[in-house]
Amino acid sequence: MSDDQLKAELLDLALQAADLAGTFLRDGRPDDLGVAATKSSAVDVVTEMDIASEKLITGFLAEHRPADGFLGEEGASVEGTSGVQWVIDPIDGTVNYLYGRPAWAVSIAARKDGETFVGVVAVPMQGETFRAVLGQGAYVNERRLTVRPAPPFEQTLLGTGFGYLAERRVRQAEVARQLIPQVRDIRRGGSAAIDLCDVAVGRLDAYYERGLNPWDLAAGDLIAREAGALVGGRPGEGPSGDLLVAGPPGLFEDLQGRLEALGAWHD
Ligand code: LIP
């Protein structure tokens, strides 16, 4: 199978899995949804729907590609033998989902030998599915995506997010405090996958966050890059849990330099 044939197959399966899970989550959300468990802190929550969504996604994908590997936020961890690894956030924006707020997504990426081939972010409450294939552009539904041209820094609408540990949030708040007077405004949406898609579609000029997990960023990173954004971490580094920075050329480098000077990459 050629890489293009593999990309087409992976995209088709990712779109089907994201639609399956997104429909289940949108239509099956219990009115009395509560917290099933917590992780790094009392506010880092998991619901029964996160767990069910991940099982739905991994079950569907494993049925069609049994030799693939899996890495999922809620525990899916399979090595695989095909060289393809699925990176899954079954609900990105779990707290939003728990509170009945619309900004949550299903994020599914497929990596081949470590390179992200396909990314899909479904946002059911917006009726939007973002998708990208490496080298083939990014789309929302059927519309091709291109990032908004870099504005002057003082006119930047800047997205960010905060971690689940209070001591990290103190440092993150200090970085945001320094940046707020320098930009148009700040937005904190609660889903990294949506924030990265917002950069791709032009609803944010740029986005940064410290503390993301691979499943938070895998699909949105490719979607933003295929829409023309630059996505990285500290200068010369790729996006990681230390720091993710995303934005159009010109603004990306300016923001990255300011974040480096502010020490946004450490607690
Ligand atoms: C969320 C991220 C978001 C971050 C939240 C949380 P989750 O992922 O997408 O950017 O600010 O703290 O980590 O936990 O909802 O999958």
Side-chain angles (χ1 to χ4, degrees):
M1 182 184 292
S2 72
D3 275 358
D4 280 352
Q5 289 170 320
L6 177 62
K7 289 173 181 176
E9 179 183 339
L10 296 175
L11 176 64
D12 179 56
L13 290 173
L15 287 168
Q16 289 187 65
D19 182 58
L20 198 62
T23 303
F24 164 73
L25 292 165
R26 181 194 63 211
D27 300 343
R29 182 183 179 281
D31 292 337
D32 61 349
L33 183 64
V35 173
T38 60
K39 296 186 282 192
S40 63
S41 75
V43 294
D44 183 0
V45 298
V46 183
T47 74
E48 66 186 69
M49 298 299 275
D50 293 82
I51 296 164
S53 174
E54 185 161 296
K55 284 181 181 167
L56 193 59
I57 295 165
T58 55
F60 174 84
L61 294 172
E63 179 187 340
H64 290 83
R65 291 185 54 87
D68 289 358
F70 291 93
L71 173 65
E73 177 170 19
E74 306 315 339
S77 177
V78 175
E79 187 62 34
T81 57
S82 67
V84 171
Q85 180 192 50
W86 295 95
V87 184
I88 299 161
D89 194 335
I91 306 178
D92 190 54
T94 292
V95 173
N96 286 339
Y97 186 80
L98 176 66
Y99 276 75
R101 297 175 66 90
W104 56 269
V106 176
S107 179
I108 300 174
R111 290 176 173 163
K112 175 72 164 47
D113 301 329
E115 185 171 40
T116 306
F117 265 23
V118 164
V120 169
V121 174
V123 191
M125 303 307 282
Q126 292 176 185
E128 293 182 322
T129 298
F130 294 82
R131 60 184 163 90
V133 175
L134 181 63
Q136 298 178 23
Y139 295 80
V140 57
N141 297 351
E142 294 313 310
R143 178 160 63 96
R144 181 93 185 229
L145 295 175
T146 304
V147 288
R148 188 183 285 268
F153 198 80
E154 64 273 14
Q155 294 179 19
T156 294
L157 187 62
L158 181 59
T160 192
F162 305 103
Y164 289 120
L165 295 172
E167 51 270 27
R168 170 165 288 181
R169 293 161 70 87
V170 168
R171 275 286 302 144
Q172 291 174 320
E174 177 54 28
V175 171
R177 185 187 71 80
Q178 300 268 2
L179 286 172
I180 282 177
Q182 302 175 29
V183 295
R184 177 192 297 273
D185 205 344
I186 293 261
R187 293 288 184 271
R188 196 282 196 258
S191 164
I194 295 176
D195 290 333
L196 284 162
C197 291
D198 279 349
V199 170
V201 73
R203 295 173 186 157
L204 285 173
D205 289 307
Y207 165 64
Y208 78 94
E209 186 162 354
R210 169 172 169 70
L212 295 179
N213 290 299
W215 43 78
D216 295 319
L217 64 87
D221 165 36
L222 180 64
I223 291 165
R225 285 188 282 117
E226 286 295 323
L230 297 177
V231 183
R234 297 186 65 188
E237 296 181 10
S240 72
D242 287 345
L243 186 65
L244 177 145
V245 187
L251 176 57
F252 170 84
E253 298 87 345
D254 188 351
L255 175 60
Q256 188 181 51
R258 294 173 194 240
L259 290 167
E260 182 71 10
L262 289 170
W265 41 274
H266 67 77
D267 293 341

